[in-house]
Structure formats: C-alpha cells, structure tokens
Amino acid sequence: DAAVAAPLLSASHTKMAAVESALASVMSDEAVADVAVAARDAAALLKGARPWMEFFEVFKPPVKTDVEKRMATNMLHYRANYCQIMIGFFAAAALTSPRLLFALALSALVSLVILVAKVDSFDVGDQRVHLTRRNRAIAAGSMSAFFVVLISGLLWLLLVVLVGGVLCLGHMALRPRTLAAKYNAATEDVRAMLFGGTTVSGD
C-alpha cells in the first residue's frame, strides 16, 4: 500500500507546486502577500464562532444604561457568528436572484484580475498610471458596483443584507452578556490600556 501511495502523494505535491507557480506568475508579490494575510484572517475569524445553542440561548431587554456595553461585548464575543449570518444572507440574496448572482460572479472575476494581476503600471496617453494597492482597491470596488448596478439586483441585495444587519444588531442588544463574553471584553480592555486603543467599555 505504501508503495502505491508514495507515487500518488508525490504527484499531488507536484501538481500543487505547479498551481502555486502558475499563480505566482500572474500575481504581484504584494497581491500574493495580501491574499495570504486575508485568507489567514478570514479563517481565524470564522473559526471562532460560538455554539449556536449558546447564541440563541436567552434574550432579555437591556437596562437603558447597559445597552452600549452589552452591544460592544456581544459584538466582540459573537463576531464570527455575525459574519456567518451576514454571509448567509448575502448568499441567499444572490441565489434567489439569477441576475444578481451573475453580476456578483462577474464582479468577483474582474476584481480578482485587477487585484492580483502582475502589472505595476500602464500608460494612458502620455501619463503613466501606477497600480498601487489603493488604486487597485478603488478600481475593483468601482467595477463591482458598476456591474451590480448595471445588471440590476442592487436593491434586493441591499434589502436582504439590511435585514441580516438588523437581526445582528437586535441580537447584540437583547442577548445578555455571558461570563465568557465579559472575560473577553475585560481582556480587550486590558490590552487596549497596555498597548493603546479604544476599550470595549468605552471608558
């Protein structure tokens, strides 16, 4: 079995190396680094989701003076759950509107080309335009908005995402803070006081 598996494993590694080499050949070094950092941050964020039984365990109207602190604490503690909910609503909006799904797919493709293309600058008449990270992001965002507006579906997308956002805000206000949430908030406050930044409590 080992004799059979070894060649297959070697072939798999060879194919992965070929894919990485191909990506590197069309992506700028800056884009490769950005993609790696974004992928790592996204994976870490989504991985930290709290159990859904805990998420929906209990709801209670907040005391007037406690609303801001409760929302800040829950935002920190359940941020991965909120991200998953917004991704779900975003996906629902796309899947229930074929035109919007097409517009988003086209936007993603064009944005990917703009963001990762291994081109540092190009000429426009007598002017040379440099593709900095900021310029790439502006171009990608502009093209995405253009395609979504042009092909339609923008209002439906905004409506569905708005509903998801309102539900998340409602949960932040109505979900009493758990001991773990309070501990996380206190930890962030200590870190903010030691290294600078805004405390969760707002003090």
Side-chain angles (χ1 to χ4, degrees):
D1 292 341
V4 174
L8 294 176
L9 191 58
S10 177
S12 176
H13 288 165
T14 302
K15 289 180 180 179
M16 287 298 296
V19 170
E20 291 176 0
S21 177
L23 288 175
S25 66
V26 297
M27 294 173 65
S28 65
D29 295 337
E30 188 179 65
V32 172
D34 288 345
V35 169
V37 171
R40 184 176 66 249
D41 291 346
L45 176 60
L46 295 177
K47 194 184 204 179
R50 307 298 301 172
W52 290 105
M53 288 294 292
E54 174 192 326
F55 187 82
F56 293 109
E57 186 176 11
V58 62
F59 295 100
K60 186 185 297 183
V63 179
K64 185 176 181 181
T65 57
D66 190 47
V67 176
E68 184 178 349
K69 188 178 292 187
R70 178 185 284 191
M71 293 186 71
T73 303
N74 284 336
M75 177 61 195
L76 176 66
H77 192 60
Y78 295 109
R79 57 188 171 187
N81 298 79
Y82 297 140
C83 284
Q84 291 182 10
I85 289 173
M86 294 308 299
I87 290 172
F89 271 90
F90 190 86
L95 293 175
T96 53
S97 174
R99 296 178 67 181
L100 177 59
L101 182 60
F102 174 72
L104 292 174
L106 187 59
S107 299
L109 179 61
V110 173
S111 297
L112 184 64
V113 172
I114 293 173
L115 292 172
V116 307
K118 202 168 186 177
V119 177
D120 296 325
S121 61
F122 61 92
D123 294 324
V124 179
D126 296 332
Q127 299 292 325
R128 190 160 190 79
V129 179
H130 294 279
L131 289 178
T132 62
R133 182 181 302 176
R134 179 173 176 274
N135 290 342
R136 289 174 187 269
I138 292 174
S142 300
M143 292 302 296
S144 296
F146 172 75
F147 283 124
V148 171
V149 172
L150 179 66
I151 302 177
S152 187
L154 179 62
L155 290 179
W156 174 241
L157 174 64
L158 293 177
L159 176 63
V160 174
V161 172
L162 177 63
V163 171
V166 169
L167 290 177
C168 290
L169 288 173
H171 181 275
M172 290 181 206
L174 297 175
R175 177 68 171 91
R177 298 185 297 162
T178 63
L179 288 176
K182 292 178 181 179
Y183 172 78
N184 288 341
T187 302
E188 289 297 320
D189 282 348
V190 171
R191 185 176 299 148
M193 286 187 289
L194 291 176
F195 302 105
T198 304
T199 60
V200 175
S201 61
D203 299 333

